[in-house]
Amino acid sequence: MTVLLAVALTGLPAPSATIPHAPEPLAAALVRTERLLDEAIDRWDHSRTTPRAVTLLALYEQRILRMLGTSSSLARAVVRLDPDARDDVAARADLSRLAASSPPLGASPRVAAAPAAERLLAWYREAQVRFHVRWQLLAAVNFVESAFGKVRNVSTAGAQGPMQFEPATWRAYGLGGDVHDPHDAIFGAANYLAANGARTDERAALFHYNHSALYVDAVAHYAHRIASERHAFLRYYSWQVFVRTPTGYRRVTGPR
């Protein structure tokens, strides 16, 4: 049974639903999934936990985009058919290349629930008012660094917390807060980005945050998507955590 037929019959794709591999059906599956996901998000009370419909549709969208991040020719073909996917596909390709140049996670993954979406949005906007750094940029950094705080591991470089600060940088820009507290971490990140010119040159500020052009490009794509598409933040918030291990990627959160 194809995923589109499964969705038509049950309303939701299974966690391991088959993903098409040809450009036309793949683009059609992505467009349909995102439309259904948008409708499910509109029905969601964002102060509550993520509904099952959002979780399953977001996972299927995420799995499609992760696959596209590993095949440049297929990605180009899908983006030609679905130009709205450009930012997501480009960001996923950037992060795939960045991960390939880094060692896999050595320790067992430590994951937990993210703060409620409404609370995160309030903190991003509060930090934007204080430091004049766009809330969408802060959300994109939080997303790339720790999946909005779902990933609790210390990085291979020693970075910690939901915004992944190294100890010396946190001492300089953390405003005396707790690096593991999401509110404090968001404010520390806004402070650090503002100090490095994010008000006038976001890409340069992001390069200070992480000295990788791939990282800068990925965060910029996600920030643009969040700013231009009203459901994007909640889509990303609903995605699951995949970790890179010596034997490949493994999903460590979400439905089975």
Side-chain angles (χ1 to χ4, degrees):
M1 181 185 296
T2 68
V3 68
L4 296 185
L5 179 57
V7 169
L9 294 176
T10 69
L12 297 171
S16 58
T18 302
I19 297 173
H21 284 76
E24 290 80 4
L26 184 55
L30 182 58
V31 169
R32 179 180 174 83
T33 300
E34 291 184 340
R35 178 176 61 79
L36 294 172
L37 179 54
D38 288 346
E39 293 171 1
I41 288 172
D42 282 335
R43 295 190 296 270
W44 174 16
D45 176 353
H46 305 151
S47 67
R48 298 181 177 274
T49 56
T50 311
R52 180 171 175 79
V54 173
T55 296
L56 290 172
L57 289 163
L59 175 59
Y60 193 69
E61 174 199 41
Q62 183 183 13
R63 290 177 57 225
I64 290 174
L65 292 169
R66 289 184 65 84
M67 186 182 76
L68 290 173
T70 65
S71 172
S72 58
S73 59
L74 184 59
R76 286 194 297 271
V78 168
V79 168
R80 281 196 294 271
L81 295 164
D82 178 18
D84 288 342
R86 185 179 309 278
D87 280 317
D88 283 330
V89 170
R92 185 62 247 166
D94 289 333
L95 294 178
S96 294
R97 291 171 60 197
L98 183 60
S101 65
S102 306
L105 188 65
S108 299
R110 294 176 55 240
V111 294
E118 280 196 336
R119 295 181 71 191
L120 286 173
L121 283 168
W123 294 333
Y124 300 143
R125 287 170 173 147
E126 188 181 355
Q128 175 179 268
V129 169
R130 178 168 173 180
F131 296 100
H132 305 286
V133 176
R134 286 193 304 147
W135 78 260
Q136 295 93 341
L137 187 69
L138 296 171
V141 171
N142 196 190
F143 174 44
V144 171
E145 293 292 353
S146 68
F148 301 110
K150 294 172 189 168
V151 179
R152 303 294 175 91
N153 289 68
V154 176
S155 79
T156 54
Q160 305 176 50
M163 294 303 234
Q164 288 290 282
F165 273 94
E166 294 181 11
T169 309
W170 181 254
R171 286 193 296 272
Y173 295 96
L175 304 168
D178 178 354
V179 71
H180 298 288
D181 180 88
H183 174 274
D184 291 353
I186 289 166
F187 270 57
N191 185 30
Y192 183 63
L193 289 166
N196 285 287
R199 301 179 196 185
T200 57
D201 192 340
E202 290 182 347
R203 294 185 72 92
L206 287 171
F207 193 77
H208 279 280
Y209 207 98
N210 185 314
H211 300 308
S212 164
L214 292 171
Y215 174 90
V216 171
D217 199 51
V219 172
H221 279 297
Y222 285 133
H224 180 262
R225 184 73 160 156
I226 292 169
S228 61
E229 204 280 300
R230 70 186 183 92
H231 293 101
F233 168 71
L234 290 170
R235 286 183 185 174
Y236 300 149
Y237 179 86
S238 305
W239 282 7
Q240 303 304 322
V241 175
F242 288 75
V243 297
R244 182 167 168 258
T245 72
T247 57
Y249 280 95
R250 178 164 62 95
R251 179 164 62 86
V252 296
T253 63
R256 297 296 172 185

